[in-house]
Amino acid sequence: MARNILILGASYGSLLATKLLMAGHNVTLVCRRKTADLINRDGTEVRIKLRDEAVHRAIFSRDLPGKLDATTPQDVDLSRYDLVGLAMQEPQYTNHTIRVLMIKIASAGLPCLSIMNMPPLPYLKRIPALAEMDLEEAYTNASVWERFKPGLVTLCSPDPQAFRPPEEAANVLHVGLPTNFKAAAFEDAKHNELLRELEAGIDAVTLDGKDVPVKLKVFDSLFVPLAKWSMLLTGNYRCITPHEPQSIRDAVHGDLKLSRSIYDHVDSIARRLGADPADQVPFEKYAKAAESLLKPSSAARAVASGAPFIERVDLLVKLVSDQLGAPSAEIDRTVQTVDQKLNEKIVAGGSGSE
């Protein structure tokens, strides 16, 4: 049965959308009017490399069994959808038209699957050790999330690495690391049936008889998506330096011993919250994957281009570590560097908005 999925965010969101379209489901991408018009006219193009192939394949939405459309936040009809995907950068949810849509989504009681790096606050409330912690400071505007019931929000670790090639149109996405989306289960069995139905459909897809990477994997553990925290703190946020941004590979492999110590510390924080070691990704596997990540992280690119706000998983992990009584000088240093770079923009321009 074809499901109807609403995805907020047409950039990274187009990767999950493409996988759902290949499995025969229908997807609406929520984005700006200009991008929506482009997608409704030309569709999307996602470039992905199949196993043992040297060149990326271009997968066009117009060739897939599911139907794709795009719309602006104010034009969404929520009665059409079975599930909402959250695929924007966390600061984007403070946009007025997005906030209004988020209020409607919360009121409709639709299950929400986040593929953001920054876990939605209602998801964190599902973890007993975090439920009473003061974590709002890490969010651009924590009030966006206050109407959501925790059981209706889950997190999908956004492990696949993808980016919009700067020279291409806004409907093109290039997948650099085709790993899996790893989702924690919802509280409601009916919503989990839907997730597992999507998981099975995506898993069965082939292209010219070949398996297509980037699967949706569903786990009972709430902690599986938190394995991404170690990667983000070891690689992504350390791409932000006092000077020019560095690649994820250089951030990780510039001092492998230091990288391992940061990775191990964040893993230990997740275990103190309740994660099983089996929920986590070994450092060696991450370090190997990082060898192919030759660009700065999206957070580092955003800071370099003058963004006044980015997702602050670095600050979130610092707040959690401190409140557990297990601070880290290296994480503090990362947070300080990110703060400094974000403040530079504001001081230089008198405001962070241009």
Side-chain angles (χ1 to χ4, degrees):
M1 185 176 89
R3 297 289 191 166
N4 297 312
I5 316 294
L6 182 73
I7 297 180
L8 278 60
S11 180
Y12 194 56
S14 67
L15 174 55
L16 179 59
T18 292
K19 298 298 299 190
L20 292 165
L21 294 166
M22 293 179 91
H25 302 291
N26 305 317
V27 178
T28 298
L29 294 171
V30 177
C31 50
R32 295 185 180 92
R33 167 57 61 199
K34 187 178 175 185
T35 307
D37 289 344
L38 172 66
I39 290 171
N40 287 330
R41 187 183 72 236
D42 297 340
T44 58
E45 176 185 348
V46 172
R47 296 170 184 168
I48 194 164
K49 194 183 283 188
L50 305 193
R51 186 186 297 276
D52 300 327
E53 290 192 355
V55 180
H56 280 69
R57 299 268 195 128
I59 301 174
F60 296 97
S61 60
R62 61 177 177 264
D63 299 332
L64 304 178
K67 292 190 180 71
L68 177 70
D69 69 313
T71 190
T72 58
Q74 55 268 40
D75 293 331
V76 172
D77 173 11
L78 287 176
S79 66
R80 292 175 51 197
Y81 300 103
D82 302 300
L83 177 78
V84 176
L86 303 174
M88 291 179 172
Q89 298 275 319
E90 183 265 335
Q92 293 177 274
Y93 292 88
T94 62
N95 172 283
H96 175 69
T97 56
I98 296 292
R99 288 197 67 184
V100 171
L101 177 57
M102 293 290 277
I103 290 167
K104 292 177 181 175
I105 290 169
S107 299
L110 284 167
C112 295
L113 174 71
S114 169
I115 57 168
M116 303 173 353
N117 277 326
M118 191 71 176
L121 259 175
Y123 177 77
L124 296 182
K125 301 287 185 193
R126 293 176 61 191
I127 297 172
L130 294 177
E132 302 306 319
M133 279 194 189
D134 183 8
L135 304 173
E136 283 78 3
E137 181 193 340
Y139 290 80
T140 313
N141 186 342
S143 67
V144 170
W145 306 101
E146 61 191 11
R147 291 176 172 83
F148 285 83
K149 292 178 181 170
L152 289 173
V153 181
T154 198
L155 181 63
C156 190
S157 180
D159 289 359
Q161 300 276 327
F163 62 93
R164 274 183 176 169
E167 71 283 1
E168 299 277 9
N171 60 339
V172 177
L173 190 75
H174 184 95
V175 181
L177 186 66
T179 44
N180 296 322
F181 289 115
K182 293 183 284 192
F186 288 107
E187 279 185 3
D188 189 294
K190 184 178 64 177
H191 298 148
N192 288 330
E193 279 177 31
L194 168 58
L195 264 191
R196 295 193 185 280
E197 181 187 317
L198 299 178
E199 174 186 41
I202 288 172
D203 194 52
V205 165
T206 59
L207 199 56
D208 297 336
K210 296 184 176 184
D211 187 59
V212 183
V214 187
K215 309 287 190 179
L216 174 64
K217 300 290 186 183
V218 183
F219 296 85
D220 292 329
S221 169
L222 289 173
F223 298 96
V224 167
L226 300 196
K228 187 70 187 281
W229 286 6
S230 306
M231 305 176 198
L232 293 169
L233 271 292
T234 306
N236 298 47
Y237 285 95
R238 290 172 67 227
C239 292
I240 302 168
T241 77
H243 311 293
E244 291 302 307
Q246 62 179 339
S247 69
I248 294 177
R249 181 186 67 179
D250 291 348
V252 175
H253 287 273
D255 184 339
L256 209 54
K257 186 177 178 184
L258 176 61
S259 293
R260 181 187 287 275
S261 72
I262 296 167
Y263 197 95
D264 288 348
H265 175 82
V266 182
D267 267 2
S268 73
I269 293 298
R271 286 197 296 274
R272 286 186 62 169
L273 296 174
D276 188 285
D279 296 334
Q280 299 177 323
V281 175
F283 174 73
E284 291 76 12
K285 185 174 181 181
Y286 170 66
K288 178 69 177 167
E291 288 176 0
S292 66
L293 300 177
L294 307 181
K295 293 181 178 292
S297 62
S298 59
R301 297 198 303 273
V303 170
S305 66
F309 302 104
I310 62 168
E311 293 182 315
R312 294 301 304 271
V313 183
D314 61 318
L315 179 54
L316 176 64
V317 173
K318 172 183 163 51
L319 293 171
V320 172
S321 298
D322 289 353
Q323 289 175 71
L324 285 174
S328 158
E330 282 303 323
I331 290 173
D332 290 351
R333 191 170 294 120
T334 297
V335 169
Q336 191 175 4
T337 300
V338 177
D339 285 344
Q340 176 190 326
K341 294 301 287 186
L342 291 171
N343 289 336
E344 274 176 16
K345 170 67 178 172
I346 296 168
V347 172
S351 118
S353 60
E354 66 264 37

